[in-house]
Amino acid sequence: MKYQDRNLHAQSQTNSVAGFTLLEQLIIVALLGGLSAVAAPSWFSFLAVRQLNTAQERTLQVMRQAQSSAIGQKTDLQASFQQFNNEVRWAVHPVTTNPENAVWQTLTPYVQIDPTSTLRLTNNVWYVRFNQRGHVSGKLGKLTFLAKNQKVKRCVVVSTLLGSIRKGQESTVNGTVTCN
C-alpha cells in the first residue's frame, strides 16, 4: 500500500508542474499584445524611413548614371521620373526620345513623389537633362519623395548648372516642412 501511495504522490507532483495554467497563458498573450501595439507604429515608421532612404539613394544613382552616360556617349540624356499606378518609375533616355517610349523601371512601390518637387515637369514626368559635358541643361530643382501614410520627406537636389547633385532631408522652416 505504501508503494502505491508513493507512486500516486509522484504522479500528482509531475502533473502539477507540467505546464502553464490558462490564466498564465492569457496574461502572456495580453502582455505580448500590449507590447505589439506599442512597438508597431515605431516599426512602421522605421520601415518608411528606410524605403525613403532607398528611393533617395537610387534616384541619386540614376541621375549620376545619366550624367556620366551623357559624357561617355557624347549625347544629351534625360533622367525621367514618374508616379504611375501607385509606384515611382524612372528612365534614362536621349532627350529626343519621348518619355512615353522610354524603358521604365520601378524605383519603389512604397514611396510617392511629392507634388511640391521643383524639377522640370511635363505630362506628369519630372526630369533633369544633362548635356554632352555632364552639365545641367535648363532648370535646376529637386525631386522630393514622401513615404505613404507618413509625413517624412527625402529629396535629391540638382543644385548647380555644372551638374552638382546631392541628397537632402526634410527640415522645418517657419512651421513648413520642406526638403533641402
Side-chain angles (χ1 to χ4, degrees):
M1 199 61 137
K2 281 190 173 187
Y3 177 73
Q4 287 179 342
D5 289 340
R6 246 186 283 149
N7 195 15
L8 287 175
H9 183 66
Q11 282 181 350
S12 66
Q13 283 182 340
T14 57
N15 287 340
S16 67
V17 294
F20 296 105
T21 66
L22 180 60
L23 180 61
E24 291 170 332
Q25 291 175 1
L26 288 174
I27 290 171
I28 290 171
V29 167
L31 287 173
L32 289 176
L35 287 174
S36 297
V38 170
S42 297
W43 178 251
F44 288 129
S45 293
F46 167 76
L47 289 178
V49 169
R50 187 163 185 246
Q51 290 296 329
L52 276 174
N53 290 341
T54 300
Q56 180 188 40
E57 184 62 37
R58 184 68 184 129
T59 299
L60 184 67
Q61 290 172 356
V62 167
M63 287 183 180
R64 286 186 176 157
Q65 171 197 353
Q67 185 179 36
S68 177
S69 295
I71 295 167
Q73 298 173 13
K74 294 185 174 38
T75 187
D76 293 357
L77 291 179
Q78 176 173 311
S80 299
F81 301 88
Q82 179 183 57
Q83 187 82 37
F84 185 78
N85 289 340
N86 280 336
E87 48 183 43
V88 177
R89 305 186 315 169
W90 65 271
V92 173
H93 54 88
V95 297
T96 56
T97 301
N98 185 337
E100 290 180 14
N101 300 327
V103 178
W104 290 93
Q105 298 182 43
T106 300
L107 184 66
T108 178
Y110 303 107
V111 300
Q112 57 194 18
I113 297 176
D114 186 354
T116 64
S117 294
T118 59
L119 278 185
R120 293 171 85 175
L121 176 64
T122 304
N123 297 327
N124 198 34
V125 175
W126 286 266
Y127 62 92
V128 60
R129 292 181 174 166
F130 297 99
N131 65 20
Q132 300 170 6
R133 295 186 306 181
H135 299 168
V136 176
S137 298
K139 182 180 175 185
L140 303 176
K142 62 186 170 192
L143 186 63
T144 305
F145 297 105
L146 292 167
K148 292 181 180 178
N149 304 320
Q150 301 284 328
K151 294 182 181 182
V152 183
K153 293 183 179 184
R154 294 288 186 272
C155 60
V156 176
V157 181
V158 181
S159 55
T160 69
L161 291 175
L162 294 176
S164 177
I165 308 166
R166 63 178 173 79
K167 294 190 271 186
Q169 251 182 296
E170 80 220 21
S171 60
T172 303
V173 178
N174 297 329
T176 304
V177 178
T178 185
C179 191
N180 295 317

